[in-house]
Amino acid sequence: MVLNELGARINGALQALSKEPVIDEKALDALLRELCGALLESDVNVRLVGQLRANVKKRVNMDELASSSNKRKVIQTAVFEELCSLVDPKKEAWMPRKGRQNIIMFVGLQGSGKTTSCTKLAAYYKRKGMKVGLVCADTFRAGAFDQLKQNASRAHIPYYGSYNEADPVQIAMDGVAQFKKEKFDIIIVDTSGRHKQEAELFAEMEQIAAAVKPDNTIFVMDGTIGQAADSQARAFKESVDIGSIIITKMDGHAKGGGAISAVAATESPIVFIGTGEHMHDLERFSARPFVSKMLGMGDLSGLVETVQDLQLETKGDMMKNLAKGVFTLKDMRDQLETILKMGPLNKIMGMMPGMSPEMMQGFDADESTRKLRSYMCIFDSMTENELGSDGKMFDDEKRLRRVAMGSGVRTVEIQALLYQHRQFGQIVKKMGGPKGMLGKMNPNAMQQMAKNPGAMMNPNMLKQMGGMGGMQKMIQQMGGMGGVQNMMKQMMGGGGGGGAGGMGNMQEMMSQMMSGMGGMGGMGGRR
């Protein structure tokens, strides 16, 4: 994602400040000069950049901080808060309500990624457990219905459209009526886009809106237009009742920051940003988590939400095994299956605190995903008896060759998987058993963890685990943060060569977090 480059520049400026022997007005000016330069290169409006600079200077009064020993912290906090303010529209976006039928209409110019975003949003709400239907009312663009039909079929989402009916208003009415009759929770209507024919586009939008009476109208905007998004957002807002905005193509263009800040300046709520072509490449937008992730500080609330969206079945046997210090091949398979369901690996790793943009640059998400899928093929070629074992029975060469032939891999790849399983098994052995932390945990807490992995962020859950001290002990039993990092590197195929130098900083930062965050229990709330 190109915004990672902006995050790396800002991080570099903040790190340069921390190396300054004396924090004075000159050091602050140097930081702001680098920060403003990075924002201007991302096509953020010069007026907004000037306003950010003035606000930071206003927050950081060097005369008042003369006796303070924590000037760096004050300056870093001021920069973070002003970056959040820059991209915050300061207005709550519309959210669908459960227990009623919600109609969402998509509008936008042609080529902005509107039809793809429709399916991505439908898939997002489907993961939330809602019943979602898609209606293609785009009769202007050839192949629009085919595109929506293919995307919807791939995501297993019901759709409605017509090759014979030419009136988009009639198609929208018929589709919405059909999904309402079938008690769908969310009905998404895709409309036609145009190039430079705004009068016709607005007229058609108004007719469809009058016919289906949408609860929310989402304007899909191309992020590559940069700060020109300001005038486009204002024009649409004046013509139709725009409830929220999705900005697309944020994965491949340097002007994404300018588009977000420009739209925020119009006080139009951005609900999602598109970061790729895949179904998972739609991220809920919220100013603070967005800036936090961009600067490599992670997004724990987003990570917990992603885990909760999986609606995992209770794996009671696995939790019992962990408490006893036992880790079978089936347990490992279940864990890898969960990781694959969470979406692109680079997106998940970006939510983890300490994963700075520099570290992510060397990470090959596609290669790591390919390796995990290869492991799943190996597991699928094993018998139930083999999966329920600790892997020692694969000392038999005949058994090893049989699984290799069944999964289409070399025996050396199976041996690598078995080695990693043994590594995990050693960690589980330390954590489980009568002396391990999981062995001492309350059975009710174990059951709660199995049902909802996100519950680990709950203060009561932390208490059951022995508080922050228990969390620290668990990490020590896993071999410290270095052990966790090595485990992740092995699991992901060693990807992340570019981030090797930053691992020590991550370890130091995480250890400081673990020792100093007495208020971590408050992180359980949803953003």
Side-chain angles (χ1 to χ4, degrees):
M1 188 173 176
V2 178
L3 281 175
N4 284 345
E5 296 173 14
L6 173 60
R9 289 265 320 257
I10 297 172
N11 261 334
L14 292 171
Q15 286 171 9
L17 177 74
S18 65
K19 293 174 185 175
E20 289 286 343
V22 179
I23 306 296
D24 54 12
E25 202 73 39
K26 186 178 176 182
L28 178 60
D29 287 339
L31 167 69
L32 289 174
R33 188 162 51 249
E34 178 65 21
L35 174 65
C36 294
L39 292 171
L40 289 170
E41 283 185 25
S42 278
D43 203 38
V44 177
N45 185 281
V46 66
R47 179 181 57 80
L48 296 174
V49 174
Q51 190 177 322
L52 178 140
R53 179 188 174 89
N55 289 346
V56 172
K57 295 276 276 186
K58 189 176 178 181
R59 278 173 176 263
V60 182
N61 190 322
M62 281 298 177
D63 295 331
E64 292 180 6
L65 294 174
S67 59
S68 173
S69 61
N70 207 6
K71 291 180 184 178
R72 291 182 181 86
K73 182 71 175 174
V74 173
I75 293 171
Q76 288 169 353
T77 302
V79 169
F80 180 81
E81 293 295 336
E82 287 304 320
L83 284 171
C84 290
S85 180
L86 181 70
V87 296
D88 189 359
K90 302 171 184 67
K91 187 177 179 183
E92 283 293 318
W94 176 89
M95 294 290 290
R97 286 185 288 174
K98 284 191 174 182
R100 58 157 294 178
Q101 293 180 314
N102 304 272
I103 302 171
I104 302 172
M105 186 172 84
F106 270 63
V107 299
L109 298 180
Q110 200 174 55
S112 59
K114 186 164 43 63
T115 302
T116 304
S117 296
C118 281
T119 319
K120 285 182 183 178
L121 187 67
Y124 173 85
Y125 284 125
K126 183 186 175 186
R127 291 195 296 271
K128 299 286 182 189
M130 296 184 177
K131 196 176 178 184
V132 190
L134 285 164
V135 179
C136 181
D138 182 356
T139 57
F140 179 80
R141 179 170 64 90
F145 180 38
D146 288 327
Q147 182 189 352
L148 184 136
K149 184 166 70 171
Q150 287 172 11
N151 289 344
S153 299
R154 202 180 314 138
H156 306 291
I157 295 166
Y159 59 88
Y160 180 89
S162 175
Y163 287 112
N164 302 317
E165 179 62 62
D167 183 5
V169 178
Q170 189 61 48
I171 292 174
M173 288 174 63
D174 293 345
V176 169
Q178 179 175 313
F179 286 130
K180 273 188 171 183
K181 186 179 178 182
E182 295 173 11
K183 308 291 184 191
F184 275 65
D185 299 313
I186 294 178
I187 305 164
I188 298 174
V189 181
D190 182 24
T191 64
S192 303
R194 298 284 195 280
H195 274 303
K196 299 177 183 176
Q197 296 180 17
E198 280 129 359
E200 291 180 31
L201 171 63
F202 292 149
E204 184 179 296
M205 284 191 303
E206 287 168 2
Q207 290 171 12
I208 294 175
V212 301
K213 297 180 175 59
D215 299 289
N216 184 35
T217 302
I218 294 179
F219 174 41
V220 180
M221 181 181 293
D222 187 339
T224 63
I225 64 175
Q227 59 180 285
D230 185 304
S231 57
Q232 198 178 106
R234 291 182 194 278
F236 266 82
K237 200 173 179 185
E238 288 167 7
S239 303
V240 289
D241 183 20
I242 300 295
S244 43
I245 290 175
I246 291 177
I247 300 182
T248 60
K249 306 180 187 178
M250 293 294 288
D251 56 322
H253 207 280
K255 292 186 176 182
I260 291 176
S261 58
V263 173
T266 68
E267 297 187 1
S268 300
I270 304 168
V271 281
F272 292 94
I273 55 174
T275 56
E277 286 295 317
H278 300 293
M279 284 301 136
H280 281 89
D281 295 335
L282 188 74
E283 297 181 11
R284 174 165 283 286
F285 181 85
S286 185
R288 297 185 77 83
F290 173 78
V291 173
S292 178
K293 195 161 68 168
M294 185 177 71
L295 297 180
M297 292 187 280
D299 176 16
L300 281 174
S301 57
L303 187 58
V304 170
E305 184 180 350
T306 302
V307 173
Q308 288 173 337
D309 285 350
L310 293 176
Q311 298 176 342
L312 300 174
E313 294 178 7
T314 305
K315 292 183 171 64
D317 291 342
M318 189 186 76
M319 298 307 290
K320 287 176 186 174
N321 285 345
L322 292 178
K324 294 175 185 174
V326 175
F327 188 66
T328 66
L329 287 166
K330 183 177 184 296
D331 294 334
M332 186 176 181
R333 183 197 66 182
D334 291 342
Q335 292 307 299
L336 296 189
E337 191 176 23
T338 298
I339 290 170
L340 286 169
K341 283 180 180 178
M342 290 174 77
L345 293 174
N346 53 350
K347 175 183 171 184
I348 301 304
M349 292 185 71
M351 293 180 183
M352 296 178 181
M355 296 303 294
S356 66
E358 294 93 334
M359 292 172 67
M360 292 296 292
Q361 281 175 4
F363 179 70
D364 188 344
D366 291 336
E367 175 59 25
S368 298
T369 302
R370 186 203 64 77
K371 185 168 184 177
L372 292 185
R373 293 194 187 283
S374 172
Y375 284 172
M376 295 305 294
C377 289
I378 294 171
F379 286 128
D380 288 343
S381 298
M382 294 180 183
T383 65
E384 282 297 319
N385 188 38
E386 289 166 346
L387 286 171
S389 74
D390 59 1
K392 287 181 180 177
M393 61 172 62
F394 283 98
D395 292 341
D396 179 1
E397 283 289 330
K398 288 183 180 178
R399 194 183 294 269
L400 202 64
R401 283 198 297 270
R402 191 204 84 237
V403 173
M405 289 178 66
S407 56
V409 301
R410 295 174 299 164
T411 56
V412 68
E413 292 181 56
I414 301 175
Q415 288 168 336
L417 170 62
L418 293 170
Y419 172 76
Q420 287 174 20
H421 174 262
R422 284 196 298 273
Q423 296 290 97
F424 275 104
Q426 288 171 9
I427 292 169
V428 171
K429 198 171 181 178
K430 288 179 183 178
M431 292 171 62
K435 294 183 180 179
M437 195 200 78
L438 290 174
K440 295 176 182 177
M441 191 183 292
N442 186 315
N444 292 332
M446 290 286 288
Q447 192 175 5
Q448 191 179 349
M449 267 181 68
K451 287 181 179 177
N452 180 15
M456 285 183 68
M457 295 298 172
N458 185 289
N460 295 328
M461 189 57 157
L462 280 172
K463 190 175 179 182
Q464 293 271 21
M465 294 170 71
M468 289 307 297
M471 289 287 285
Q472 283 179 297
K473 187 177 179 183
M474 182 175 75
I475 289 197
Q476 286 169 4
Q477 289 176 341
M478 292 172 75
M481 283 308 297
V484 177
Q485 291 157 10
N486 289 334
M487 182 178 71
M488 287 296 289
K489 282 171 103 176
Q490 287 175 3
M491 183 63 110
M492 302 310 175
M503 284 306 221
N505 294 335
M506 178 183 173
Q507 187 169 341
E508 183 182 345
M509 187 193 79
M510 289 297 287
S511 62
Q512 288 173 357
M513 275 176 59
M514 298 304 285
S515 62
M517 287 182 65
M520 187 176 175
M523 299 183 85
R526 296 284 294 276
R527 64 177 181 269

